[in-house]
Amino acid sequence: MPIEPTRLAPLRRNLGFLRRWLQNPKAVGALVPSGRSLASAMVAGIDLEAPGAVVELGGGTGNITAALLQSGVPIEDIAVVERDPAFARVIAARFPDVRLLQGDAAELRRLLRAAGIGPVKAVVSGLPLLSIPERVCLRIVSEATEVLEEDGVLLQFTYGPASPVSRRILTRLGLQAERINWVVDNIPPASVWRYRPPHGVKMQEKQSA
């Protein structure tokens, strides 16, 4: 029995992802895109009732974008930042109505300002931070936390139990780090980390007082 076109689409996306990994392993960071369980675990860290946009860094093949939409985040509240032209085309084809910003996450504030996007309640990142030079990682994390509203969060997944943001960067930016999910059925297993900037930590403490 031939495979239906709708069932072929994920296979084509995965093969395309693998090709990009073969071309530039450090930039892609994994052999296959994040699975549905991991995408759902990322979205679970967002306060869906709070106002504001959700910005995704490194849209890849769109699995996290799909999870955001399935969770009820309005399409007009989602913005995807993707630097790789091939992945940007995948996102544009799969989600033609999602705001796509083709550019570098290290220039996040400029990209959002130019697109008129804000306020931002959450930044969800699929970027391979562990394979990025620390100075660039610092810039990306700093930009991401700078755009957040007072109680906003940065969510990042990584393949392994430890924080993908180094202790040095956490200390320098004054971030609170917490692992909120461990997804064993992802390939490979992954953990989800939530980071709060100093103003977000203060807001959280005030609400729990």
Side-chain angles (χ1 to χ4, degrees):
M1 179 184 295
I3 301 176
E4 298 173 9
T6 53
R7 293 174 61 191
L8 274 174
L11 177 59
R12 290 195 184 109
R13 288 194 293 268
N14 288 350
L15 289 174
F17 196 94
L18 176 59
R19 281 196 296 272
R20 298 306 290 166
W21 180 85
L22 290 170
Q23 292 166 358
N24 194 346
K26 287 188 177 181
V28 177
L31 287 167
V32 293
S34 56
R36 289 183 181 179
S37 295
L38 176 53
S40 297
M42 290 280 281
V43 174
I46 303 172
D47 180 358
L48 298 176
E49 300 300 319
V54 178
V55 177
E56 181 184 354
L57 305 183
T61 60
N63 287 348
I64 293 176
T65 311
L68 289 169
L69 290 168
Q70 289 165 6
S71 71
V73 179
I75 198 166
E76 63 271 17
D77 288 345
I78 300 173
V80 180
V81 177
E82 178 55 68
R83 186 177 67 174
D84 188 294
F87 287 143
R89 287 192 294 270
V90 172
I91 295 292
R94 191 176 177 188
F95 308 104
D97 296 324
V98 167
R99 285 181 290 184
L100 173 63
L101 309 180
Q102 189 173 344
D104 195 328
E107 302 289 337
L108 184 59
R109 282 182 292 178
R110 179 184 62 78
L111 290 172
L112 296 184
R113 192 161 52 242
I117 296 170
V120 177
K121 66 180 176 183
V123 174
V124 293
S125 171
L127 297 175
L129 294 185
L130 292 176
S131 62
I132 295 175
E134 188 169 54
R135 60 181 178 77
V136 180
C137 183
L138 171 63
R139 177 78 179 274
I140 291 171
V141 175
S142 176
E143 288 279 314
T145 53
E146 282 291 331
V147 304
L148 292 172
E149 283 293 279
E150 197 166 29
D151 54 349
V153 294
L154 164 63
L155 298 161
Q156 172 73 48
F157 76 77
T158 187
Y159 300 114
S163 168
V165 179
S166 71
R167 184 174 297 277
R168 192 159 41 240
I169 292 177
L170 293 175
T171 300
R172 179 165 177 174
L173 299 179
L175 301 180
Q176 180 191 69
E178 176 187 13
R179 191 177 75 180
I180 61 170
N181 262 310
W182 176 242
V183 187
V184 295
D185 61 348
N186 192 69
I187 302 174
S191 57
V192 177
W193 284 78
R194 180 169 57 199
Y195 302 95
R196 295 182 185 273
H199 54 73
V201 175
K202 290 175 184 176
M203 173 63 70
Q204 184 186 34
E205 290 174 348
K206 185 184 297 184
Q207 290 173 342
S208 60

